[in-house]
């Protein structure tokens, strides 16, 4: 069903320009250089466990790429705890640039991402010759590549609208979905999930009723029982939520405890804490839309198994792989680690990845990639990987090629020079 057969580094696909650069010996142009990447995300608080997992993912994959990458560079991860605060993030951006770090990475919280993207753009205007590139691995507010797009921002996850396009395309063929409740975090991403769910369901399944909608504070709610009571009272047979981290784990825990038997269509079931909260419950009722799943097969599966053996943890943020893959190839093609030259080369770059051919769309710096719908079920011989040792897994039920989930952009990119 899935083409996950590509070998890792030697056979990754480059654009014609990048391939030409490599053949000219550009692969050795930066050989031995150390490229520092600032990781600026929450490492403490309710969302801390997610950040801690992702730091391990960055360090684990950096180690792999440091052994073999087209540019011959060495990646070093420097961590900063922003406590999920936009204001703290801007202080940490200054700390990173003061250390001479010119690549920053963030992904947890679109409110943080919007502030960071704007700050990076302003910093670059004021500091020619010291430009910084922002590599966004999981903040998915569509505004980041639409009305508030920046030349210096590149998103390696699929945005909220792309995921909802795939999710609603799947949902329209589910006849038992009739009454939907929208429950989301009260910030940019949560608002966008609700907005696009309503728009796309109205277009694809106008018979579906939205019987309730609610927003709750981000990373502050410890008891979701009152929200589950509202869901049950509404008569909803289905919940759509963009919740992540503790906000999804505690929601599904409360739903299990209250005996709610409806379906959940989610973005982040596979993320730290949620598999344990689901446990044996929710089999066949909880779905996830994402650019990967836990049973990808091939080399990706080997890496996931090695990660689990090393950390007793699950590797689910595979956009990190895209960052190292595309960054090293862009550096090789640009014959430089200079962010200005690398950013120019990243635009339009196509590579062969774990989820097929992926392209960094030049118009808005939004990665175009295949998306998967997976369902929570018992692990079995076909899909054996068990997150958080639950005995359960996310098994793929549908793959959407990039052209299906791709959404248009309104970005009016302002390019330097």
């Amino acid at each position: 069903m899935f083409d996950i057969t590509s070998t890792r580094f030697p056979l990754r696909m480059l654009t014609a320009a990048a391939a030409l650069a490599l053949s000219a010996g550009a692969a050795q142009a930066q050989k031995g250089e150390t490229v520092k990447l600032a990781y600026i995300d929450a490492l403490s608080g309710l969302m801390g466990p997610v950040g801690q997992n992702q730091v391990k993912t960055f360090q684990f994959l950096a180690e792999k790429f440091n052994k073999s990458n087209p540019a011959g560079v060495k990646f070093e991860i420097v961590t900063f705890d922003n406590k999920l605060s936009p204001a703290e993030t801007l202080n940490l951006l200054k700390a990173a640039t003061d250390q001479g770090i010119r690549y920053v990475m963030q992904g947890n919280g679109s409110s943080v991402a919007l502030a960071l993207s704007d700050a990076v753009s302003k910093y670059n205007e004021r500091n020619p010759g010291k430009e910084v590139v922002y590599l966004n691995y999981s903040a998915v507010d569509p505004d980041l590549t639409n009305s508030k797009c920046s030349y210096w921002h590149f998103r390696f996850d699929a945005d909220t609208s792309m995921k909802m396009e795939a999710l609603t395309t799947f949902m329209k063929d589910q006849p038992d979905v009739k009454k939907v409740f929208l429950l989301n975090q009260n910030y940019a991403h949560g608002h966008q999930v609700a907005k696009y769910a309503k728009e796309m369901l109205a277009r694809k399944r106008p018979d579906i009723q939205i019987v309730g909608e609610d927003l709750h504070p981000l990373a502050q709610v410890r008891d979701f029982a009152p929200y589950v009571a509202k869901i049950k009272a509404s008569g909803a047979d289905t919940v759509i939520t963009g919740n992540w981290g503790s906000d999804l784990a505690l929601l599904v825990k409360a739903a299990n405890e209250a005996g709610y038997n409806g379906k959940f269509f989610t973005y982040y079931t596979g993320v730290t804490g949620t598999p344990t909260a689901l446990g044996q419950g929710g089999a066949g009722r909880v779905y996830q839309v994402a650019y990967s799943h836990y049973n990808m097969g091939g080399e990706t599966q080997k890496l996931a198994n090695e990660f689990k053996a090393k950390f007793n943890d699950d590797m689910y943020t595979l956009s990190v792989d895209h960052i190292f893959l595309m960054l090293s190839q862009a550096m090789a093609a640009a014959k430089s680690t200079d962010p200005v030259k690398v950013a120019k080369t990243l635009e339009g770059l196509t590579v062969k990845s774990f989820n097929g051919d992926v392209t960094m769309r030049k118009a808005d710096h939004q990665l175009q990639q295949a998306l998967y719908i997976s369902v929570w079920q018992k692990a079995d011989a076909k899909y054996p990987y068990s997150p958080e040792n639950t005995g359960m897994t996310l098994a793929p039920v549908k793959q959407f090629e990039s052209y299906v989930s791709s959404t248009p952009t309104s970005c009016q990119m302002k390019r330097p020079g």
Side-chain angles (χ1 to χ4, degrees):
M1 182 177 179
F2 306 116
D3 178 20
I4 315 293
T5 55
S6 63
T7 334
R8 273 184 83 75
F9 313 113
L11 300 181
R12 299 286 203 177
M13 188 181 81
L14 297 164
T15 58
L20 185 63
L22 285 179
S23 66
Q28 304 305 310
Q30 311 73 235
K31 187 173 175 62
E33 274 192 52
T34 295
V35 178
K36 291 187 176 183
L37 306 171
Y39 173 95
I40 304 176
D41 249 320
L43 294 169
S44 57
L46 276 175
M47 297 304 189
V50 177
Q52 295 286 354
N53 171 282
Q54 290 164 335
V55 165
K56 285 184 282 193
T57 303
F58 271 107
Q59 292 170 338
F60 176 77
L61 289 176
E63 191 179 306
K64 297 296 179 186
F65 274 84
N66 286 350
K67 292 175 183 175
S68 172
N69 70 75
V73 298
K74 302 295 181 187
F75 294 108
E76 180 184 333
I77 312 303
V78 184
T79 61
F80 298 85
D81 181 6
N82 70 4
K83 304 175 181 63
L84 207 63
S85 160
E88 183 68 14
T89 298
L90 302 191
N91 293 334
L92 294 176
L93 173 63
K94 184 179 187 309
T97 54
D98 284 350
Q99 293 182 36
I101 300 173
R102 301 182 65 187
Y103 292 92
V104 298
M105 308 179 301
Q106 182 273 339
N108 296 333
S110 289
S111 53
V112 174
L114 288 159
L116 182 57
S117 181
D118 182 58
V120 165
S121 295
K122 288 176 179 174
Y123 172 85
N124 288 349
E125 284 177 19
R126 294 192 301 266
N127 296 276
K130 297 180 180 179
E131 289 85 354
V132 169
V133 167
Y134 168 24
L135 307 167
N136 172 3
Y137 64 88
S138 63
V140 293
D141 186 340
D143 284 348
L144 285 158
T145 48
N146 285 284
S147 62
K148 297 177 181 175
C149 66
S150 163
Y151 176 79
W152 304 105
H153 164 268
F154 293 84
R155 175 156 45 204
F156 294 82
D157 199 343
D159 78 18
T160 303
S161 66
M162 296 167 71
K163 290 180 180 178
M164 190 58 73
E165 191 69 61
L167 202 59
T168 52
T169 298
F170 179 77
M171 289 176 70
K172 75 179 174 61
D173 296 325
Q174 307 297 310
D176 55 340
V177 175
K178 296 173 182 174
K179 295 183 177 182
V180 169
F181 195 103
L182 304 172
L183 181 65
N184 288 285
Q185 296 151 317
N186 190 11
Y187 80 114
H189 164 62
H191 295 183
Q192 297 280 22
V193 171
K195 171 180 178 281
Y196 285 106
K198 286 183 281 192
E199 287 179 9
M200 293 180 186
L201 284 176
R203 187 171 78 238
K204 299 173 187 180
R205 276 283 303 278
D207 59 301
I208 289 178
Q209 292 177 259
I210 306 295
V211 295
E213 182 177 353
D214 211 345
L215 296 165
H216 64 81
L218 173 67
Q220 293 177 36
V221 179
R222 293 181 182 273
D223 181 11
F224 277 85
Y227 294 98
V228 175
K230 283 186 186 179
I231 292 168
K232 291 180 75 174
S234 74
D237 54 55
T238 300
V239 176
I240 295 178
T241 180
N243 281 20
W244 57 278
S246 63
D247 286 340
L248 183 57
L250 294 173
L251 170 61
V252 298
K253 179 175 179 285
N256 280 346
E257 290 171 352
Y260 177 69
N261 294 316
K263 288 186 175 181
F264 279 85
F265 285 93
T266 78
Y267 282 40
Y268 300 114
T269 292
V271 173
T272 301
T274 304
T276 296
L278 271 170
Q280 301 289 312
R285 295 190 294 107
V286 180
Y287 294 83
Q288 172 182 270
V289 59
Y291 54 77
S292 65
H293 54 81
Y294 275 125
N295 295 276
M296 296 296 289
E299 189 67 23
T300 302
Q301 203 67 52
K302 291 178 186 174
L303 286 171
N305 293 339
E306 184 182 338
F307 185 90
K308 184 150 192 168
K310 184 172 184 177
F311 297 110
N312 191 29
D313 204 350
D314 305 300
M315 187 171 69
Y316 50 77
T317 311
L318 294 185
S319 54
V320 176
D321 185 87
H322 283 152
I323 285 179
F324 287 127
L325 173 62
M326 298 192 88
L327 201 55
S328 58
Q329 292 191 354
M331 287 172 177
K335 305 183 184 181
S336 174
T337 59
D338 185 316
V340 176
K341 295 176 181 177
V342 172
K344 188 173 183 180
T345 312
L346 271 175
E347 288 198 312
L349 184 65
T350 295
V351 298
K352 186 80 173 174
S353 176
F354 57 83
N355 57 351
D357 294 346
V358 301
T359 299
M360 183 58 73
R361 187 163 64 183
K362 185 174 182 179
D364 59 348
H365 298 181
Q366 169 60 62
L367 193 69
Q368 304 296 296
Q369 58 188 319
L371 296 177
Y372 305 89
I373 310 292
S374 55
V375 65
W376 189 246
Q377 67 173 47
K378 283 193 174 180
D380 57 24
K382 188 175 183 183
Y383 301 118
Y385 189 94
S386 177
E388 299 180 3
N389 305 315
T390 53
M392 306 290 282
T393 195
L394 282 166
V397 291
K398 188 76 174 178
Q399 175 181 351
F400 292 103
E401 296 302 329
S402 58
Y403 69 86
V404 177
S405 58
S406 180
T407 50
T409 180
S410 61
C411 173
Q412 300 293 315
M413 184 73 73
K414 293 178 184 174
R415 291 181 163 79

